[in-house]
Amino acid sequence: MKNLDYGIIGNCKSAALISKTGSLDWCCLPNFDSAAVFAKLLDTNKGGNFELLVTEDYKITQEYLWGTNILSTVFDNGKNAFQLIDFMPRYQHQDGSYYSAPDVIRFIRLIKGKPSFKALYNPKLDFAREKTYNENKGQYIKSYTTEGKFETIFLYSSFDLDAILDQKEIEITGNGYFLMGYHEKLVEQSLDRTYLKYQRTKTYWMNWSEHTTKYKYYNEEILRSALVLKALTFKKSGAVLAAATTSLPETIGEERNWDYRFCWIRDASMVIKVMAGLGHDKSANDFLQFILNLIPHKDEKIQIMYGINGEKNLTEHILDHLDGYQGSKPVRTGNAAYIQKQNDIYGILMEVIYQQFVQFETNLENSEELWTVTRGIVKIVESHWKEPDKGIWELRTEERHFVFSKLLCWVAIDRAVKIGEILRKGVNDTKWISLRSEIYDDIYRNGWNDEVQAYTQSYGSKDLDASTLLMENYGFIDAKDPRYISTVKATEKELSRDGLLYRYKNKDDFGLPTSSFTICTFWFINSLYKIGEKEKSKKLFDQLLSYSNHLGLFSEDIDFETKRLLGNFPQAYSHLALIEAATNFSMGEMIMDN
């Protein structure tokens, strides 16, 4: 596909991507970070997919069922029509526990006539490292490997299993289903059971959406983005993924291909702050517990990222046998960035902890833990804020004194002071306030460049960076401050291209960036709104929304020329920034239930 025209389905355990023609092209089981069982997304020939093949006279349309992560694809040739409903089951039992089996369910609903299709069922287990065999076992089709890592998946269906394996024409005479699961089922599968799972899952998502804060403007876009963020949450641990995929390139043919199926402290903290603002405080509590579980000792340092179960070693591997998305190699699993030092993560995490104390009820035990973490972060920042780091964009070579990193060190101490005031610990009488002032003065003197009249990417540099637009958002500077207004204007002049923003334009480890970073454009839109250019801000926001795919989803990057989506997908960063920008236009005019 020439664009990332995919929908995501998921159940807070794993996820799958379905193309606009209904092809299942990406799925990792049993968890988000497991090996792929379908990876056509990363290799058209070897990756494997699951597709319903119809004749060319069928028109195919696709949309989400409102308020859900359930995807509907309708096949209609005028005389014959059917609906393909894709979802991963998630619903609550009477005892409060959740059912979220590592299954993909494809429910077929007959609309009219006698439509037919051929099933192309072609799983390639373990990233297609070894050959996958498919066998009809009577009750299900078993797919398995015999070499390398042993893997299996099971396909249950109301349709004839041999007809599926032999790609024979299958006529739809009534409703039907496919259920592909990582585990063999212990009870007999049936159409009724499948339909019940569908209705329960639909109810779960609609209830979740109903509890999401509603806004006067752009409410549909906000809700869809919130559903994406929820789909990227690993319920078991509270971790939030950066994206559901690995190795989708920032630019076609280049090497900027990373595995984003992990939890970055920065990304996840930003997501949780947004989700809490939408009324989902449990997500914030779950994420904070994830962090507390990662820091069992007072002297333990925080990594910039972790596995979804809290894994600390994320060694990077290259899958040479896969061609990559449209030939963009390498395909990677793991991410070597986990060893990097990025000083900004402390401030972003502290912001979430601060919001927890301000907005939500916190039991005494949790409060004490969070206070211990707060004091530990202050100690780390105090010892290391003067040191250079890799920065928010994770440069893999040179370390610098990045302004954004210094800014977030200031945020860490500022929020710690405020947390201390809330807890009446008297920290406003300690050296914390002096440290906050010292960091502020350092940024004010060294982060500003008189020649370019802007806060720049790093100390002593003339290069601009979109991350400095967040200085107002974090309370370092007022939107009406001449320095901030000048920074916004200079950033627009240097980094904006047809309303889309570069992160930066200076050369990095892989040369000059050639695509727009979507979150940066949303930051710019926010900045314009804050400095009073609201009409221009809204115009650019509407323009950016038009670059989403057919379902309103965004990846990490956008090509300046073609406006196609690039980078890992769907991207949590992009959707959290969409929500932040969209809520500006409602100016706090929330629609509350009676």
Side-chain angles (χ1 to χ4, degrees):
M1 302 179 70
K2 293 183 179 180
N3 193 27
L4 290 171
D5 288 327
Y6 287 93
I8 183 174
I9 60 172
N11 61 359
C12 303
K13 182 179 181 68
S14 186
L17 298 184
I18 313 293
S19 79
K20 65 179 179 181
T21 59
S23 178
L24 173 51
D25 288 355
W26 176 257
C27 182
C28 300
L29 294 177
N31 298 321
F32 288 109
D33 59 350
S34 301
V37 298
F38 294 107
K40 183 179 179 181
L41 190 64
L42 296 179
D43 193 310
T44 302
N45 298 316
K46 303 189 195 99
N49 70 317
F50 183 10
E51 185 174 8
L52 304 187
L53 302 173
V54 296
T55 52
E56 293 183 357
D57 59 331
Y58 278 88
K59 179 183 178 182
I60 304 174
T61 56
Q62 190 176 68
E63 64 181 355
Y64 277 108
L65 301 187
W66 186 87
T68 76
N69 277 318
I70 300 174
L71 196 60
S72 165
T73 309
V74 173
F75 299 75
D76 190 341
N77 68 0
K79 182 180 179 181
N80 309 294
F82 68 97
Q83 181 184 26
L84 171 63
I85 300 172
D86 283 306
F87 67 99
M88 298 185 75
R90 180 169 177 78
Y91 51 84
Q92 199 166 14
H93 292 301
Q94 289 184 345
D95 63 2
S97 63
Y98 284 90
Y99 180 83
S100 54
D103 299 342
V104 173
I105 295 176
R106 319 199 77 182
F107 185 80
I108 306 289
R109 185 176 74 86
L110 175 62
I111 297 176
K112 64 181 178 180
K114 294 183 178 180
S116 63
F117 66 89
K118 293 180 181 179
L120 174 59
Y121 181 65
N122 186 31
K124 297 292 184 181
L125 305 183
D126 193 23
F127 282 109
R129 283 187 177 97
E130 300 86 23
K131 183 176 179 179
T132 296
Y133 298 91
N134 301 308
E135 288 186 13
N136 182 349
K137 293 294 187 178
Q139 291 185 325
Y140 53 78
I141 294 172
K142 178 181 179 181
S143 301
Y144 60 94
T145 56
T146 58
E147 298 178 359
K149 181 182 178 183
F150 176 70
E151 282 287 6
T152 56
I153 58 171
F154 305 87
L155 180 71
Y156 298 82
S157 181
S158 59
F159 302 108
D160 185 80
L161 299 182
D162 283 330
I164 295 170
L165 287 176
D166 297 336
Q167 293 185 36
K168 292 181 179 179
E169 195 82 16
I170 297 174
E171 185 177 286
I172 303 174
T173 57
N175 294 344
Y177 76 94
F178 299 94
L179 186 156
M180 184 197 71
Y182 185 75
H183 303 296
E184 182 180 353
K185 297 301 178 184
L186 298 180
V187 297
E188 183 178 352
Q189 300 302 297
S190 67
L191 183 61
D192 288 345
R193 181 180 293 275
T194 303
Y195 185 72
L196 183 58
K197 289 179 181 178
Y198 160 57
Q199 292 294 347
R200 285 176 169 173
T201 300
K202 182 179 178 182
T203 300
Y204 165 81
W205 285 117
M206 293 186 73
N207 283 338
W208 188 89
S209 294
E210 183 62 24
H211 288 92
T212 302
T213 302
K214 298 172 180 63
Y215 289 84
K216 184 175 181 179
Y217 305 112
Y218 299 107
N219 191 64
E220 292 301 312
E221 290 83 357
I222 292 170
L223 179 57
R224 177 49 52 200
S225 291
L227 284 162
V228 169
L229 297 181
K230 177 62 174 177
L232 293 174
T233 302
F234 187 56
K235 177 62 179 177
K236 180 181 177 181
S237 68
V240 181
L241 281 77
T245 57
T246 179
S247 304
L248 296 185
E250 295 178 22
T251 302
I252 301 298
E254 290 192 2
E255 296 182 19
R256 300 172 193 263
N257 312 332
W258 319 112
D259 191 346
Y260 274 17
R261 299 171 300 153
F262 303 112
C263 181
W264 272 256
I265 297 300
R266 179 196 309 107
D267 301 36
S269 297
M270 289 180 173
V271 168
I272 291 305
K273 181 182 176 183
V274 166
M275 292 291 272
L278 292 176
H280 295 291
D281 56 334
K282 192 170 189 316
S283 295
N285 288 324
D286 289 346
F287 175 69
L288 279 174
Q289 192 57 54
F290 175 71
I291 295 299
L292 293 173
N293 291 338
L294 291 172
I295 316 173
H297 305 297
K298 295 180 181 180
D299 62 345
E300 183 140 351
K301 302 299 184 291
I302 304 174
Q303 293 183 187
I304 69 165
M305 59 186 294
Y306 295 87
I308 60 175
N309 282 301
E311 298 91 343
K312 297 179 180 180
N313 188 329
L314 306 177
T315 303
E316 199 168 284
H317 300 283
I318 304 297
L319 303 182
D320 286 325
H321 66 289
L322 295 177
D323 290 338
Y325 178 79
Q326 297 197 3
S328 301
K329 287 189 172 187
V331 172
R332 309 175 196 258
T333 60
N335 196 308
Y338 79 95
I339 62 174
Q340 289 188 1
K341 178 176 72 174
Q342 296 174 19
N343 293 332
D344 63 294
I345 65 170
Y346 303 110
I348 292 172
L349 177 57
M350 193 75 88
E351 171 79 351
V352 173
I353 295 173
Y354 171 63
Q355 293 297 329
Q356 175 80 357
F357 279 112
V358 169
Q359 298 182 30
F360 307 123
E361 293 289 333
T362 309
N363 61 53
L364 180 62
E365 180 183 4
N366 192 268
S367 296
E368 291 176 348
E369 283 187 88
L370 292 176
W371 179 239
T372 297
V373 172
T374 296
R375 290 186 289 111
I377 289 176
V378 170
K379 184 178 179 181
I380 293 172
V381 172
E382 184 178 21
S383 300
H384 299 287
W385 77 268
K386 293 182 180 180
E387 300 171 0
D389 69 348
K390 299 292 187 181
I392 184 175
W393 307 127
E394 300 180 353
L395 301 185
R396 293 196 169 198
T397 52
E398 178 186 3
E399 292 189 346
R400 305 176 195 169
H401 292 282
F402 288 101
V403 171
F404 184 78
S405 296
K406 305 296 184 189
L407 167 69
L408 268 297
C409 286
W410 175 85
V411 170
I413 306 305
D414 177 73
R415 302 315 190 255
V417 169
K418 292 175 179 176
I419 290 170
E421 292 171 349
I422 291 173
L423 297 179
R424 304 181 185 278
K425 294 293 182 182
V427 293
N428 51 337
D429 298 325
T430 71
K431 60 182 179 179
W432 288 11
I433 286 180
S434 297
L435 177 59
R436 178 175 64 179
S437 297
E438 182 183 357
I439 299 174
Y440 179 93
D441 293 341
D442 190 72
I443 298 170
Y444 191 85
R445 290 193 313 269
N446 300 311
W448 177 262
N449 187 297
D450 275 325
E451 186 175 340
V452 297
Q453 285 293 293
Y455 284 102
T456 56
Q457 184 180 69
S458 57
Y459 286 6
S461 168
K462 295 181 182 179
D463 297 317
L464 294 175
D465 191 302
S467 63
T468 61
L469 297 173
L470 295 178
M471 299 179 86
E472 184 274 340
N473 190 51
Y474 282 113
F476 181 86
I477 192 171
D478 190 88
K480 296 179 181 179
D481 190 301
R483 278 196 171 195
Y484 184 69
I485 294 172
S486 181
T487 297
V488 174
K489 297 291 188 181
T491 301
E492 177 179 16
K493 182 178 179 181
E494 179 68 19
L495 299 184
S496 178
R497 178 177 168 186
D498 299 327
L500 296 174
L501 252 70
Y502 290 92
R503 297 182 272 184
Y504 50 83
K505 288 179 72 174
N506 46 300
K507 189 175 182 180
D508 61 19
D509 310 331
F510 299 93
L512 296 173
T514 57
S515 59
S516 168
F517 210 65
T518 304
I519 191 174
C520 296
T521 305
F522 282 121
W523 289 345
F524 174 57
I525 289 167
N526 271 333
S527 299
L528 288 175
Y529 187 91
K530 296 292 183 63
I531 67 173
E533 296 190 19
K534 297 181 180 180
E535 187 174 329
K536 182 177 180 180
S537 173
K538 186 177 184 303
K539 181 179 179 181
L540 289 175
F541 184 70
D542 289 336
Q543 175 181 290
L544 182 53
L545 289 183
S546 73
Y547 300 151
S548 71
N549 73 5
H550 64 299
L551 297 168
L553 305 188
F554 282 96
S555 61
E556 182 179 43
D557 305 88
I558 296 175
D559 183 84
F560 283 110
E561 297 291 341
T562 65
K563 307 302 187 290
R564 69 182 290 180
L565 302 180
L566 295 167
N568 282 307
F569 176 89
Q571 180 81 358
Y573 243 178
S574 300
H575 284 280
L576 74 89
L578 186 158
I579 293 171
E580 287 183 321
T583 54
N584 280 337
F585 301 110
S586 287
M587 299 179 67
E589 298 181 62
M590 295 178 289
I591 303 172
M592 305 304 293
D593 293 332
N594 293 326

